[in-house]
Structure formats: C-alpha cells, structure tokens
Amino acid sequence: MAEILQRDGTWTFDGDTLRLTPGRDKSVSLLRKTLGELSVPLGALAGISFEQGKKSGRLRLRLRDGSDPLLQATGGRLTDAHDPYQLSVDSDRYGVAEYIVDEVRNALLLDEVPGDAVDTYLLAGPAVPLSVSAGDGTASFDGDHVRLEWNWKTEEAKAASGARTLPLADIAGVEWHPSVGLENGFLRFTVRNAPTKAPPKYDPNSVELWGFKKDPLMALVAAAVQARLPHPAAPAPKRLPASAPATDGPAPEEDHDALLRRLRELGDLHRSGVLTDEEFTRAKQAVLKRI
C-alpha cells in the first residue's frame, strides 16, 4: 500500500483503488470538503503526474474521458483549488509523491488499463438528497426530481413563475459554469421540448451565480444529476423499424442479448453507488419485464 499525508489531503493506493481524502486545513476548498472522500478505481485512471516546485509540488490525476460525472458536468472548468484530483505536496515529501506515481503507473501497466474514453460512469456522483443555496436561488435534488427555489435577489420576471420542480425524466442535460471576471456563472438544466436562449438571469431552469464562496457547491448538484442521466457517449438503443408491428411477445433474440447486457450494466452502476437500491430495483424490474 502507498500513502501520502498532507495538509491538503491524503491519497492512499492499494493496487486497485486510489482513495482521495480532503484535508481539514482552512486552505482546503469548501467544495472538496463537502464532496468528501473519493474512491477512484484503477480502471478510471488515464494517468498520474507529479510537478515539483521550489517550496511545494503537485500531484495530478488524469481520468479517462467520460468516467466521472463531476468532470462531465463541469467540463474542465474547476479551478486547481476546487479540483479533487490534485494534491499539494510539501517539498520534504517529494520522495513519497514520486513513489505514489510509480506505484500507480506500474499498476496501470500490469492491468493493461486503456487510456481511451468510456461510455459509462466509473465513479459515483455525489450522494443525494442534496441541496445548495447560492446566487439567486436554491437547487435541491433527491435522485428523482430537481427543485429550484428563488430568493429576494432573483430577477422579478423569473421569480414570478414560482418554484420549479423538474422530474429527472424531463431533464436532457445539465451544466455548471463558474463566474469569470465580470461574467456571472450559472447552473443550468436543459429541459426536453423546452429549448431556451434566455440568459440565466431570466431562465427559470437556471440558477445565476455571482462568484461567492458557495458557488462551486452547485457543481455537486450538477454532478449528482449528471450521474443519473444517460451517459453522453452511450450507444443509442436499437429501435424497431416504424413498419414493424408492435408485439407483447418475447423480445427478439438480438434484443434479448442487449437486455442482458443492460442488466449487467445496472448491476455495475449499483455496486459503484451511482444507482441507489430503489433506483436499481426499479430499473431492473423494467428490464426484466421486456425479456
């Protein structure tokens, strides 16, 4: 086992999983403290590096594209301070950091882990229920519904529509942007059959963010929702031709194999924590009815 302890956090590698635990130092960001410990399976890693400086260095993980719902929802817009896949290292621990790098790289080589993109999430999203208040509203997610509530700072035209409840089935996408300079950030939900070009200030499906301390926590809401949406790179389900008659009989043999694969995928998502017990049971029953 390889382990490095720093004020910024602790990284522990057992050959199969890299556990990232945020430190308690006041310099550790609120997002990382709220996110808590992360378990990164070896199969989700594309690489690891260590950068040395005169006074401190930095360990960095590179995950395979599409493996983490947090990185998917934030699109590479997390700053170094909020990125949970980085660790600041004191100069007297450079040797330990290099040892961690060697251990992880050797494991990647031995297990022949590919570095290409994946079409299913390999890390679980933040735990639900989850609620964050920042900017002009509060975003809450219970695993099935997103609820947006407004405060006294909300633009009158948006607040007039009242609180919003969005079923997960109606959400086509989610994105989080931090505020940069004079440009405000946002948490935006794309709702099926309801496209809009309104800026977040007026969009009833968006929370506008102004660059305050709690803004990054909205990224956790985005990640929790993203983890429960279809993976953007997942293959589209096969559909019968429009001319094919509907039937209540057993599924064709080729569809039967696809359904069995889907059951295995659901099991993997459940074991990794992406699906709750209730979500897994409901999804499994729906697949079994089609077999």
Side-chain angles (χ1 to χ4, degrees):
M1 179 179 289
E3 183 177 64
I4 182 168
L5 289 79
Q6 294 290 275
R7 291 172 298 173
D8 199 31
T10 300
W11 284 16
T12 307
F13 181 58
D14 63 7
D16 295 312
T17 303
L18 190 58
R19 302 191 184 281
L20 316 178
T21 306
R24 297 181 179 181
D25 192 78
K26 62 181 181 180
S27 64
V28 178
S29 76
L30 181 60
L31 183 148
R32 289 179 56 207
K33 287 180 179 179
T34 304
L35 185 59
E37 182 180 281
L38 289 175
S39 296
V40 183
L42 186 65
L45 291 177
I48 183 172
S49 64
F50 176 56
E51 305 162 0
Q52 292 190 17
K54 290 184 178 180
K55 295 184 178 180
S56 65
R58 187 169 294 272
L59 277 168
R60 295 181 188 268
L61 289 182
R62 183 165 57 87
L63 273 60
R64 297 171 67 185
D65 288 345
S67 63
D68 178 29
L70 175 62
L71 296 184
Q72 186 72 40
T74 56
R77 291 178 288 269
L78 287 174
T79 63
D80 287 353
H82 299 305
D83 187 344
Y85 303 113
Q86 299 188 30
L87 182 71
S88 180
V89 179
D90 294 335
S91 58
D92 62 347
R93 304 297 287 171
Y94 282 1
V96 180
E98 291 170 345
Y99 176 66
I100 289 274
V101 169
D102 289 341
E103 288 293 294
V104 173
R105 287 178 176 172
N106 289 337
L108 290 171
L109 287 173
L110 288 173
D111 283 26
E112 298 182 344
V113 177
D116 55 351
V118 295
D119 59 7
T120 186
Y121 294 121
L122 303 179
L123 282 85
V128 295
L130 180 63
S131 183
V132 175
S133 296
D136 69 351
T138 298
S140 305
F141 181 53
D142 62 6
D144 294 310
H145 298 84
V146 169
R147 184 167 176 81
L148 302 176
E149 299 174 274
W150 314 117
N151 57 38
W152 63 273
K153 295 170 285 188
T154 309
E155 180 69 27
E156 185 177 352
K158 184 162 79 171
S161 63
R164 302 273 290 171
T165 298
L166 305 174
L168 185 63
D170 291 347
I171 297 175
V174 57
E175 58 180 328
W176 171 86
H177 282 252
S179 60
V180 179
L182 298 177
E183 183 177 351
N184 291 338
F186 60 85
L187 170 69
R188 186 195 299 274
F189 298 95
T190 302
V191 179
R192 301 183 195 280
N193 303 317
T196 178
K197 294 184 179 180
K201 183 176 184 177
Y202 302 103
D203 181 6
N205 297 320
S206 299
V207 176
E208 187 180 33
L209 304 173
W210 301 314
F212 296 133
K213 183 178 180 180
K214 288 188 176 181
D215 284 9
L217 296 183
M218 283 293 183
L220 301 183
V221 178
V225 173
Q226 185 74 58
R228 290 162 176 80
L229 294 177
H231 194 285
K238 294 181 179 179
R239 294 185 179 182
L240 293 173
S243 59
T247 175
D248 293 329
E253 188 171 350
E254 62 272 19
D255 288 342
H256 184 272
D257 291 340
L259 292 173
L260 290 178
R261 287 195 299 271
R262 180 57 178 160
L263 280 177
R264 288 194 292 271
E265 291 172 0
L266 290 172
D268 292 340
L269 293 172
H270 181 233
R271 284 189 292 274
S272 66
V274 173
L275 294 178
T276 64
D277 292 343
E278 181 180 352
E279 291 169 338
F280 171 66
T281 300
R282 187 165 60 247
K284 182 178 71 173
Q285 289 174 346
V287 174
L288 291 176
K289 288 180 180 179
R290 297 176 57 193
I291 296 180

